Amino acid sequence: MKTLVVIPAYNEALNIEKTVSDIENNAPGVDYVVINDGSKDNTLEVIRNNHYNHIDGFCNLGLFGAVQTGFKLALEENYDVVIQFDGDGQHSARYISTMVNEIENGSDIVIGSRFVTEKKPFTARMLGSRLISFAIKVITGKMIADPTSGFRAYNKACIKDYATDMNNPPEPDTLVYMLRKKRKIKEVQVQMQDREFGESYLNLGNTIKYMSRMLISIFLIQPFRKV
């Protein structure tokens, strides 16, 4: 299947070479595009020096804007599958073929999950993930073990959903909407690595804000959207 890996990158100058090399070495035959999301460091310089396929955003749009840019490209270029793949080196491209195979087998969205065959730890960091999983189960009846994973594959129908609707950020809450649209979501076990350079934006304060936004959306917005 014609596959595009979309790599949102904001201030990932120290990680982007490792990320792209992983795709080139472990997922041959797929295309990729790096979306430089208005980085303030020298991410764009690294991208250009390595001649990576990329789109340069002149301002920071955030994860949604960067990923949707990739979806729009995929829609225009008639791709069958989009892989959402973080630019920080935490995801592994060796799982891409498995995820694409699941799309071929009839899934609409495939999530690279840390918790299919492995238990989710009882840690403060995983409390938010457990709450989101619980909320999605309450609303849809579907248990998603790793809803916050940013490693996902989408089929052609979902590419259009995410490319053309500003109400569909690639976040856990919109999985509720996709399930209400009868999209089939499957999780496959993957291993993820810790970020080697830089810091996640999800500090304690941002994590609380993020969790509050997700739970409000899951309970009060997504169940009432027109499908």
Side-chain angles (χ1 to χ4, degrees), residues 90-109:
Q90 295 191 73
H91 298 160
S92 175
R94 70 180 185 270
Y95 299 108
I96 287 177
S97 61
T98 300
M99 297 170 76
V100 173
N101 286 340
E102 292 295 342
I103 295 291
E104 286 187 297
N105 290 334
S107 295
D108 298 300
I109 299 173

Side-chain angles (χ1 to χ4, degrees), residues 19 31 46 51 87 90 98 115 121 130 139 144 148 164-165 187 194 198 211:
T19 299
D31 297 331
V46 173
H51 306 288
Q90 295 191 73
T98 300
F115 310 119
R130 288 180 178 275
I139 296 300
I144 297 178
T148 60
T164 60
D165 190 342
E187 294 182 88
D194 292 331
M211 283 298 306

